[in-house]
Amino acid sequence: EPLMAALDDDNREVRFRAAFALEQLEPAVDINVRIRAWDTVVVRDGQNVYALCNLSLAHRESGNRDAAVETAYQAIELHPEHFYPYLLVAHLYAEKGEREAAERYYKCAIRCNPEHATTYYELAELHRLDGNYASAVEQYAEALQVDPDHSESHFGLGFCYNRMERYEDAIAAYGECLRLSPDHYVAHNNLGMAHRYRGSYETAMECFKHALELSPDYAAAQLNLGDTFVVVTSARED
């Protein structure tokens, strides 16, 4: 209640800080309260790009994508040099399955801020989901140029290299991912698949076992371990 009251303060910074504080409360406040808070800030300070972006995010979380897009567009019109509103619109188009529009806005975000690794990563994910693995590899590589420790970009590279049958590259990429995120059980599983594709069945089984140690109910690793065990056992019998 004191935070909501602060939204009526004459000081713009006080209003913004009150809305921001409402975002941090545990347990989380109702999404409609958050929308009302950011809307109050925007009505009184329509040039505040951060408030507009937070309002867009709140609309997105509520499921009102049209309002989220409209608010992000408003931020773009007021601040065409700021990368984050473009990124929000790209997210929204990607969620709607409008891949071409999403790619266009990701590229706008990159032009505004070429030093943001996550933008390259998300554009890479867009290409990966379309099965355009070569383009995805290029964008993951761009993300890693900005942030060499971006573990999910290493994971994405490994995924694409497996699909492109570049298994040595996949093994190297998953190795980097696991160096940075050793508990990434999906990476352990996928690394096992790269070794299996190369015919290194014993090493592959160790990778699947690592995945299951981290996530005992992970069905893909259970299946892969079982299948590989059958292959190894059959070879020994022969």
Side-chain angles (χ1 to χ4, degrees):
E1 288 180 5
L3 290 173
M4 293 300 294
L7 293 170
D8 293 323
D9 196 279
D10 290 335
N11 187 296
R12 290 188 301 177
E13 185 175 352
V14 169
R15 293 196 298 270
F16 180 84
R17 287 179 178 274
F20 186 81
L22 282 166
E23 290 276 355
Q24 312 306 311
L25 291 180
E26 293 290 346
V29 297
D30 183 80
I31 187 61
N32 291 318
V33 172
R34 287 163 53 198
I35 290 172
R36 184 156 62 92
W38 286 117
D39 192 52
T40 300
V41 175
V42 168
V43 166
R44 292 165 172 260
D45 185 10
Q47 297 289 321
N48 190 324
V49 65
Y50 299 103
L52 286 164
C53 288
N54 279 305
L55 179 57
S56 177
L57 285 168
H59 281 307
R60 177 189 178 199
E61 188 175 326
S62 75
N64 190 344
R65 286 196 174 90
D66 290 339
V69 169
E70 182 180 347
T71 306
Y73 276 147
Q74 187 179 349
I76 289 171
E77 290 173 3
L78 291 169
H79 302 276
E81 77 293 343
H82 201 293
F83 87 100
Y84 195 62
Y86 294 106
L87 190 58
L88 289 181
V89 175
H91 288 160
L92 291 159
Y93 277 125
E95 289 171 355
K96 290 168 65 178
E98 297 183 28
R99 301 283 174 80
E100 290 184 8
E103 181 173 356
R104 187 163 63 248
Y105 280 95
Y106 277 126
K107 288 180 177 178
C108 288
I110 288 168
R111 280 197 295 273
C112 291
N113 182 5
E115 300 300 317
H116 190 249
T118 301
T119 310
Y120 293 106
Y121 167 75
E122 291 185 10
L123 179 55
E125 288 285 279
L126 200 68
H127 288 305
R128 181 182 68 81
L129 292 171
D130 271 344
N132 191 347
Y133 300 121
S135 295
V137 164
E138 291 178 5
Q139 297 303 322
Y140 289 130
E142 291 285 355
L144 292 169
Q145 284 288 325
V146 175
D147 180 7
D149 292 338
H150 196 268
S151 65
E152 284 303 315
S153 289
H154 288 294
F155 177 86
L157 278 177
F159 184 96
C160 292
Y161 286 143
N162 261 353
R163 293 301 178 93
M164 298 165 75
E165 300 183 2
R166 293 171 56 179
Y167 303 126
E168 293 291 345
D169 290 330
I171 289 168
Y174 282 128
E176 282 298 298
C177 175
L178 290 168
R179 179 182 66 82
L180 296 162
S181 303
D183 294 338
H184 198 314
Y185 62 90
V186 181
H188 280 289
N189 175 74
N190 292 8
L191 176 60
M193 291 305 298
H195 282 296
R196 178 174 167 171
Y197 292 142
R198 290 179 65 251
S200 302
Y201 297 116
E202 298 285 355
T203 305
M205 286 198 297
E206 289 303 312
C207 294
F208 300 140
K209 289 175 184 176
H210 281 308
L212 289 170
E213 287 170 4
L214 293 166
S215 180
D217 296 328
Y218 184 34
Q222 292 172 351
L223 179 63
N224 292 332
L225 179 59
D227 285 349
T228 309
F229 180 78
V230 169
V231 171
V232 171
T233 303
S234 298
R236 285 173 180 166
E237 291 174 352
D238 291 342

